[in-house]
Amino acid sequence: MLTIHGVTRSRASRIIWLCHEIGLPFRQHPVIQAYRLPDPDAADAPLNTHSASFRKLSPGGAIPVIEDDGLVLSESYAILLYLARKHAAPLGPASPEEDALMLQWCFQAATSIEPDALTLLFLHGRGQAQSGEDQALVANAAERLIRPLRVVEDQLARHGYLVGNRFTVADIAMAETIRYAQGYGPLMEQFPAIGQWLVDAQGRPGFQKMWQARLSEPE
Ligand SMILES: N[C@@H](CCC(=O)N[C@@H](CS)C(=O)NCC(=O)O)C(=O)O
């Protein structure tokens, strides 16, 4: 059976959402991010991204990692695409062309959206008091996000989904990436098609099941 290493309050959420969508059973090892622990190296620390046993699977010390039929795989977008290909359409690619488009959207999410969206999450979304320097970082990140989000907006306004006029793994990858910026109104209100698509995607039973598990984990 597929094993997912990583707590649900991490990028493992996108893998877990996909598994629920395609009805794929999995075991979850709740490895937690070391930075969330006061002393990740303490003898009584829970299993975390510093733990020696986890480092054997993930030398870079990052979650999520999966084990599947002897394959050990890290990098959440690679994991999504691997599982989607293995289990194929409707959520995975039905042709090499769809496969290429799914790759395109995943690369766009990973390279042009995720870093700045995470800046918005960490410096704005969690409601911390912001220094002037933080506010400048937030404004710059939001400014850089306009161009890639415009591409996503145009695609969704015309087709409703990213690939194949249906909900696919590309929508999961992109929705989980844009979620990091979702709480930043001055940016997101410029993209109504993305807003509606996020509401629909996050209303799906697969997302809701993942989200309830996530909320049940300690912050
Ligand atoms: N590009 C990687 C990033 C993985 C990553 O940074 N994961 C975070 C949690 S979402 C992590 O494990 N951080 C560990 C730490 O900082 O201790 C992916 O998409 O899987």
Side-chain angles (χ1 to χ4, degrees):
M1 184 189 289
L2 172 68
T3 303
I4 301 174
H5 299 268
V7 290
T8 313
R9 287 185 186 271
S10 76
R11 290 176 179 85
S13 61
R14 48 189 74 163
I15 317 300
I16 293 168
W17 181 6
L18 174 65
C19 288
H20 290 326
E21 289 281 349
I22 60 181
L24 182 62
F26 63 90
R27 249 188 314 256
Q28 185 175 7
H29 284 173
V31 180
I32 190 169
Q33 297 93 330
Y35 70 79
R36 292 176 57 197
L37 298 172
D39 184 0
D41 302 317
D44 60 351
L47 185 61
N48 68 78
T49 51
H50 276 191
S51 301
S53 60
F54 178 67
R55 285 297 178 113
K56 284 185 192 146
L57 277 181
S58 171
I63 50 176
V65 174
I66 62 161
E67 288 182 87
D68 187 45
D69 288 334
L71 172 71
V72 177
L73 190 63
S74 57
E75 289 300 327
S76 58
Y77 298 96
I79 296 170
L80 283 176
L81 288 166
Y82 161 72
L83 291 174
R85 282 173 181 159
K86 184 167 178 179
H87 299 280
L91 265 81
S95 65
E97 290 75 17
E98 283 196 0
D99 192 36
L101 289 169
M102 289 174 185
L103 269 170
Q104 171 200 278
W105 290 115
C106 284
F107 275 116
Q108 196 198 8
T111 60
S112 303
I113 298 177
E114 192 170 58
D116 286 318
L118 280 170
T119 297
L120 296 187
L121 178 71
F122 284 114
L123 296 184
H124 173 84
R126 295 188 172 163
Q128 318 78 322
Q130 283 177 40
S131 64
E133 196 183 331
D134 284 352
Q135 285 172 5
L137 289 171
V138 165
N140 289 338
E143 183 64 31
R144 276 191 301 271
L145 282 168
I146 290 175
R147 195 162 58 151
L149 290 185
R150 174 66 53 208
V151 176
V152 177
E153 174 77 7
D154 289 348
Q155 167 71 22
L156 295 175
R158 280 185 291 123
H159 300 286
Y161 298 101
L162 294 180
V163 177
N165 298 314
R166 65 181 194 280
F167 184 81
T168 69
V169 69
D171 297 281
I172 292 179
M174 188 63 80
E176 278 296 89
T177 307
I178 296 179
R179 177 166 62 76
Y180 299 140
Q182 197 173 355
Y184 192 63
L187 176 70
M188 297 310 294
E189 66 199 15
Q190 302 174 48
F191 302 109
I194 293 179
Q196 186 56 52
W197 164 84
L198 277 175
V199 167
D200 293 345
Q202 293 170 354
R204 294 175 70 91
F207 177 91
Q208 285 297 320
K209 193 168 173 187
M210 174 279 286
W211 196 249
Q212 290 315 312
R214 187 178 162 106
L215 293 178
S216 73
E217 288 182 356
E219 277 193 49

Short mmCIF file of all heavy atoms in Angstrom, two decimals, residues 185-208:
data_model
loop_
_atom_site.label_atom_id
_atom_site.label_comp_id
_atom_site.label_asym_id
_atom_site.label_seq_id
_atom_site.Cartn_x
_atom_site.Cartn_y
_atom_site.Cartn_z
N GLY A 185 -6.64 39.52 -0.03
CA GLY A 185 -7.71 40.11 -0.83
C GLY A 185 -7.26 41.05 -1.94
O GLY A 185 -7.74 40.95 -3.07
N PRO A 186 -6.32 42.00 -1.64
CA PRO A 186 -5.96 42.96 -2.69
C PRO A 186 -5.46 42.30 -3.97
O PRO A 186 -5.60 42.85 -5.05
CB PRO A 186 -4.83 43.77 -2.03
CG PRO A 186 -5.03 43.60 -0.57
CD PRO A 186 -5.66 42.25 -0.37
N LEU A 187 -4.90 41.09 -3.85
CA LEU A 187 -4.46 40.37 -5.04
C LEU A 187 -5.61 39.54 -5.61
O LEU A 187 -5.95 39.64 -6.79
CB LEU A 187 -3.29 39.44 -4.68
CG LEU A 187 -2.79 38.54 -5.81
CD1 LEU A 187 -2.09 39.37 -6.88
CD2 LEU A 187 -1.83 37.48 -5.27
N MET A 188 -6.23 38.73 -4.75
CA MET A 188 -7.16 37.72 -5.25
C MET A 188 -8.43 38.33 -5.83
O MET A 188 -9.06 37.74 -6.72
CB MET A 188 -7.51 36.72 -4.14
CG MET A 188 -6.31 35.91 -3.64
SD MET A 188 -5.33 35.14 -4.96
CE MET A 188 -6.49 33.96 -5.61
N GLU A 189 -8.81 39.52 -5.35
CA GLU A 189 -10.05 40.11 -5.89
C GLU A 189 -9.92 40.52 -7.36
O GLU A 189 -10.91 40.77 -8.02
CB GLU A 189 -10.52 41.28 -5.02
CG GLU A 189 -9.60 42.46 -5.01
CD GLU A 189 -9.84 43.40 -3.81
OE1 GLU A 189 -10.52 43.00 -2.84
OE2 GLU A 189 -9.34 44.52 -3.86
N GLN A 190 -8.70 40.50 -7.87
CA GLN A 190 -8.49 40.81 -9.30
C GLN A 190 -8.78 39.59 -10.19
O GLN A 190 -8.75 39.69 -11.41
CB GLN A 190 -7.04 41.24 -9.54
CG GLN A 190 -6.62 42.46 -8.73
CD GLN A 190 -5.13 42.74 -8.91
OE1 GLN A 190 -4.62 42.77 -10.03
NE2 GLN A 190 -4.44 42.94 -7.81
N PHE A 191 -9.02 38.42 -9.54
CA PHE A 191 -9.12 37.18 -10.31
C PHE A 191 -10.40 36.41 -9.96
O PHE A 191 -10.36 35.39 -9.25
CB PHE A 191 -7.87 36.32 -10.05
CG PHE A 191 -6.59 37.02 -10.40
CD1 PHE A 191 -5.73 37.45 -9.40
CD2 PHE A 191 -6.28 37.29 -11.72
CE1 PHE A 191 -4.56 38.13 -9.72
CE2 PHE A 191 -5.12 37.98 -12.05
CZ PHE A 191 -4.25 38.40 -11.05
N PRO A 192 -11.54 36.88 -10.46
CA PRO A 192 -12.81 36.25 -10.06
C PRO A 192 -12.96 34.80 -10.53
O PRO A 192 -13.56 33.98 -9.81
CB PRO A 192 -13.88 37.15 -10.71
CG PRO A 192 -13.16 37.92 -11.79
CD PRO A 192 -11.75 38.06 -11.31
N ALA A 193 -12.41 34.46 -11.69
CA ALA A 193 -12.56 33.07 -12.16
C ALA A 193 -11.75 32.14 -11.26
O ALA A 193 -12.21 31.03 -10.93
CB ALA A 193 -12.11 32.94 -13.62
N ILE A 194 -10.57 32.58 -10.84
CA ILE A 194 -9.79 31.76 -9.89
C ILE A 194 -10.56 31.63 -8.59
O ILE A 194 -10.63 30.54 -8.00
CB ILE A 194 -8.40 32.39 -9.64
CG1 ILE A 194 -7.54 32.34 -10.91
CG2 ILE A 194 -7.69 31.68 -8.49
CD1 ILE A 194 -6.15 32.95 -10.75
N GLY A 195 -11.17 32.73 -8.14
CA GLY A 195 -11.91 32.69 -6.87
C GLY A 195 -13.02 31.65 -6.91
O GLY A 195 -13.16 30.84 -5.98
N GLN A 196 -13.80 31.64 -7.97
CA GLN A 196 -14.92 30.69 -8.08
C GLN A 196 -14.41 29.26 -8.20
O GLN A 196 -14.94 28.33 -7.59
CB GLN A 196 -15.82 31.05 -9.27
CG GLN A 196 -17.08 30.21 -9.35
CD GLN A 196 -17.91 30.28 -8.06
OE1 GLN A 196 -18.23 31.38 -7.58
NE2 GLN A 196 -18.24 29.12 -7.48
N TRP A 197 -13.36 29.08 -8.98
CA TRP A 197 -12.76 27.74 -9.18
C TRP A 197 -12.21 27.20 -7.84
O TRP A 197 -12.37 26.01 -7.53
CB TRP A 197 -11.69 27.87 -10.25
CG TRP A 197 -10.67 26.80 -10.42
CD1 TRP A 197 -10.78 25.64 -11.14
CD2 TRP A 197 -9.34 26.82 -9.91
NE1 TRP A 197 -9.60 24.95 -11.11
CE2 TRP A 197 -8.70 25.65 -10.36
CE3 TRP A 197 -8.61 27.72 -9.13
CZ2 TRP A 197 -7.36 25.34 -10.04
CZ3 TRP A 197 -7.29 27.42 -8.81
CH2 TRP A 197 -6.69 26.25 -9.27
N LEU A 198 -11.63 28.09 -7.03
CA LEU A 198 -11.13 27.64 -5.72
C LEU A 198 -12.29 27.21 -4.82
O LEU A 198 -12.20 26.18 -4.14
CB LEU A 198 -10.36 28.77 -5.02
CG LEU A 198 -8.90 28.97 -5.42
CD1 LEU A 198 -8.33 30.20 -4.72
CD2 LEU A 198 -8.05 27.73 -5.08
N VAL A 199 -13.36 28.00 -4.83
CA VAL A 199 -14.53 27.63 -4.01
C VAL A 199 -15.04 26.26 -4.44
O VAL A 199 -15.32 25.39 -3.60
CB VAL A 199 -15.64 28.71 -4.16
CG1 VAL A 199 -16.96 28.21 -3.60
CG2 VAL A 199 -15.22 30.01 -3.49
N ASP A 200 -15.16 26.04 -5.75
CA ASP A 200 -15.66 24.76 -6.24
C ASP A 200 -14.70 23.61 -5.89
O ASP A 200 -15.12 22.55 -5.44
CB ASP A 200 -15.85 24.80 -7.76
CG ASP A 200 -16.97 25.77 -8.16
OD1 ASP A 200 -17.75 26.17 -7.29
OD2 ASP A 200 -17.02 26.13 -9.36
N ALA A 201 -13.41 23.84 -6.11
CA ALA A 201 -12.42 22.79 -5.84
C ALA A 201 -12.41 22.44 -4.35
O ALA A 201 -12.39 21.26 -3.97
CB ALA A 201 -11.03 23.23 -6.30
N GLN A 202 -12.47 23.47 -3.52
CA GLN A 202 -12.41 23.23 -2.08
C GLN A 202 -13.73 22.72 -1.51
O GLN A 202 -13.79 22.31 -0.35
CB GLN A 202 -11.95 24.51 -1.37
CG GLN A 202 -10.49 24.84 -1.75
CD GLN A 202 -10.03 26.21 -1.29
OE1 GLN A 202 -10.80 27.01 -0.77
NE2 GLN A 202 -8.74 26.49 -1.49
N GLY A 203 -14.77 22.76 -2.34
CA GLY A 203 -16.05 22.17 -1.92
C GLY A 203 -16.13 20.69 -2.24
O GLY A 203 -17.07 20.00 -1.83
N ARG A 204 -15.18 20.17 -2.97
CA ARG A 204 -15.23 18.75 -3.37
C ARG A 204 -15.03 17.86 -2.13
O ARG A 204 -14.24 18.20 -1.23
CB ARG A 204 -14.13 18.45 -4.40
CG ARG A 204 -14.35 19.17 -5.73
CD ARG A 204 -13.17 18.93 -6.65
NE ARG A 204 -13.11 17.56 -7.13
CZ ARG A 204 -13.68 17.11 -8.24
NH1 ARG A 204 -14.34 17.96 -9.03
NH2 ARG A 204 -13.58 15.86 -8.59
N PRO A 205 -15.71 16.71 -2.09
CA PRO A 205 -15.57 15.83 -0.93
C PRO A 205 -14.12 15.43 -0.65
O PRO A 205 -13.72 15.31 0.51
CB PRO A 205 -16.43 14.61 -1.30
CG PRO A 205 -17.42 15.13 -2.30
CD PRO A 205 -16.73 16.23 -3.05
N GLY A 206 -13.33 15.27 -1.71
CA GLY A 206 -11.93 14.86 -1.51
C GLY A 206 -11.13 15.92 -0.78
O GLY A 206 -10.33 15.62 0.12
N PHE A 207 -11.35 17.18 -1.13
CA PHE A 207 -10.67 18.27 -0.43
C PHE A 207 -11.17 18.35 1.01
O PHE A 207 -10.39 18.48 1.95
CB PHE A 207 -10.92 19.62 -1.13
CG PHE A 207 -10.29 20.77 -0.39
CD1 PHE A 207 -8.99 21.18 -0.68
CD2 PHE A 207 -10.98 21.43 0.62
CE1 PHE A 207 -8.39 22.23 0.03
CE2 PHE A 207 -10.39 22.47 1.33
CZ PHE A 207 -9.09 22.87 1.03
N GLN A 208 -12.50 18.28 1.17
CA GLN A 208 -13.08 18.43 2.51
C GLN A 208 -12.57 17.36 3.48
O GLN A 208 -12.28 17.64 4.64
CB GLN A 208 -14.61 18.37 2.42
CG GLN A 208 -15.21 19.66 1.86
CD GLN A 208 -14.93 20.86 2.75
OE1 GLN A 208 -14.99 20.75 3.98
NE2 GLN A 208 -14.61 22.00 2.16
#
